[in-house]
Amino acid sequence: MISVKRPRTRRNFTADSDLFDVLPDDLLIHLLCRLAASASSPSDLLNLLLTCKRLNRLVLHPLVLSKAGPKAFAVRMQNWCDSSHRFLKRCVDAGNSEASYTLGMIRFYCLRNRGSGASLMAKAAIKSHAPALYSLAVIQFNGSGGSKSDKDLQAGVALCARAAFLGHVDALRELGHCLQDGYGVRQNSDEGRRLLVQANARELATVLLSSSSIWQQQRHNQSGNLPDLTATRCSLLSDFGCNVPAPEPHPVNLFLREWFESEGEVAARGGLRLCSHSGCGRAETRPHEFRRCSVCGTVNYCSRGCQAQDWKVRHKEECTTVQRWRDEDANNADEMFDIVEEVEDANNIVGIV
């Protein structure tokens, strides 16, 4: 049987023709998926929604929404509204793990819908979302959303171990402190110290990879020194003589901090406090839930990892009792010096007599 080849149909384009209408939907959806995954802010998607009816329809396609990255949901607290909530919920329904984690954190800590928030974070954790696993571990360690008796240390350690296995640095650091202190797991100081060193190594590797452009710019410097990464100091890396930029907090952590600060008076009347680590943003769900600094008692932390990071970055220089001890030591040294001078003067007088 002889097949007849179909002649190609040519489209006559004029100067007024809109070539965008010729592009197939599949190609546009593929491009929009890549744009959503690399979006630097929610405005990247918002501008597409306002461009035309076709893009508005394609941007809201489930496949595009399922690929949106964390910065696509980086809404500021003052811009939060029902439309933002509905958009996040639509992304959750499309199967976006990042949206499940973000909306879960907001519902749990901000909207005080503990059950729904924990359920959304668990939905993301089932898909091996490391930040969701770590957040659930912190909830288990503190018994957040319940009473002090609701703490489940073993469950917290298990969730931390899973998140650490997936490469989450904070979870790896938290697990190291748990092993060192015997908190929820049999104490193993050597293994805990090894995990802390591994957390620092991963953190350093992440920073160096992200700053590859800086390396290229300074590669031909006359001095031949390494790039200047000392603008801000980064957590525990100072233990090994490295000063590198601090890791960028997750957008939802910044949202939590802004939300809590906007409700400062209401939270204060309820006796609730915010985690003192600037990159955390978690707030207490009941009074005296978080641990206080055992030295000064003026700061509090949701986890050992947050405490260790904040101590190296900030609190080491601000701990009032430590500073008072330093001042007392200096005063005692001055007093001892005065006493020595008086004794020497007395000896000189005796010698003269």
Side-chain angles (χ1 to χ4, degrees), residues 38-110:
S38 60
S40 59
S41 66
S43 61
D44 292 346
L45 296 181
L46 182 62
N47 292 334
L48 290 173
L49 289 172
L50 300 176
T51 302
C52 64
K53 291 183 178 180
R54 189 184 183 196
L55 279 181
N56 185 290
R57 174 175 57 85
L58 295 178
V59 168
L60 296 178
H61 191 280
L63 186 58
V64 177
L65 297 180
S66 66
K67 301 296 183 180
K71 291 188 177 180
F73 310 125
V75 61
R76 302 300 297 269
M77 189 280 302
Q78 59 267 25
N79 299 328
W80 178 257
C81 58
D82 292 338
S83 298
S84 305
H85 199 160
R86 286 195 301 269
F87 178 73
L88 276 172
K89 185 63 173 62
R90 192 162 185 170
C91 293
V92 170
D93 295 337
N96 191 308
S97 299
E98 193 64 47
S100 297
Y101 169 65
T102 300
L103 186 57
M105 290 282 283
I106 292 174
R107 285 186 177 179
F108 189 90
Y109 287 104
C110 300

Side-chain angles (χ1 to χ4, degrees), residues 133-144 146-160 174 178 183-185 286 291:
L133 286 163
Y134 177 66
S135 292
L136 290 174
V138 173
I139 290 174
Q140 294 294 334
F141 282 137
N142 296 318
S144 301
S147 62
K148 189 175 181 180
S149 60
D150 292 325
K151 293 182 180 181
D152 192 339
L153 305 185
Q154 288 75 18
V157 170
L159 290 166
C160 255
E174 184 75 18
C178 288
Y183 190 74
V185 67
R286 66 176 186 277
R291 306 175 188 86

Side-chain angles (χ1 to χ4, degrees), residues 165-323:
F165 174 77
L166 295 172
H168 196 277
V169 176
D170 289 339
L172 188 62
R173 181 176 289 120
E174 184 75 18
L175 185 61
H177 284 290
C178 288
L179 285 168
Q180 277 194 327
D181 302 337
Y183 190 74
V185 67
R186 181 178 297 178
Q187 188 173 9
N188 189 335
S189 300
D190 294 336
E191 181 66 15
R193 193 175 299 109
R194 186 187 70 81
L195 292 179
L196 291 177
V197 172
Q198 186 178 352
N200 284 275
R202 288 191 182 183
E203 197 170 36
L204 178 60
T206 301
V207 171
L208 294 180
L209 289 174
S210 64
S211 59
S212 58
S213 60
I214 302 178
W215 286 83
Q216 294 176 1
Q217 293 175 2
Q218 300 188 6
R219 184 173 54 184
H220 301 293
N221 285 356
Q222 295 180 356
S223 60
N225 294 331
L226 296 179
D228 183 13
L229 301 177
T230 59
T232 55
R233 299 186 64 188
C234 174
S235 63
L236 301 181
L237 286 173
S238 58
D239 287 345
F240 304 98
C242 300
N243 291 331
V244 297
E248 183 180 1
H250 193 282
V252 74
N253 294 99
L254 299 178
F255 181 91
L256 297 183
R257 175 170 289 276
E258 291 177 355
W259 185 284
F260 184 86
E261 290 174 351
S262 68
E263 294 185 337
E265 295 182 1
V266 177
R269 285 198 299 268
L272 303 179
R273 302 166 299 176
L274 187 69
C275 179
S276 298
H277 177 42
S278 59
C280 177
R282 294 179 178 85
E284 292 180 321
T285 60
R286 66 176 186 277
H288 309 295
E289 177 183 337
F290 293 165
R291 306 175 188 86
R292 288 195 176 190
C293 175
S294 59
V295 178
C296 66
T298 59
V299 294
N300 46 270
Y301 304 99
C302 67
S303 62
R304 285 168 170 76
C306 283
Q307 182 177 7
Q309 291 185 69
D310 193 60
W311 174 259
K312 287 294 180 182
V313 174
R314 178 184 63 88
H315 189 54
K316 184 178 181 179
E317 303 299 329
E318 298 178 357
C319 196
T320 55
T321 306
V322 171
Q323 186 63 40

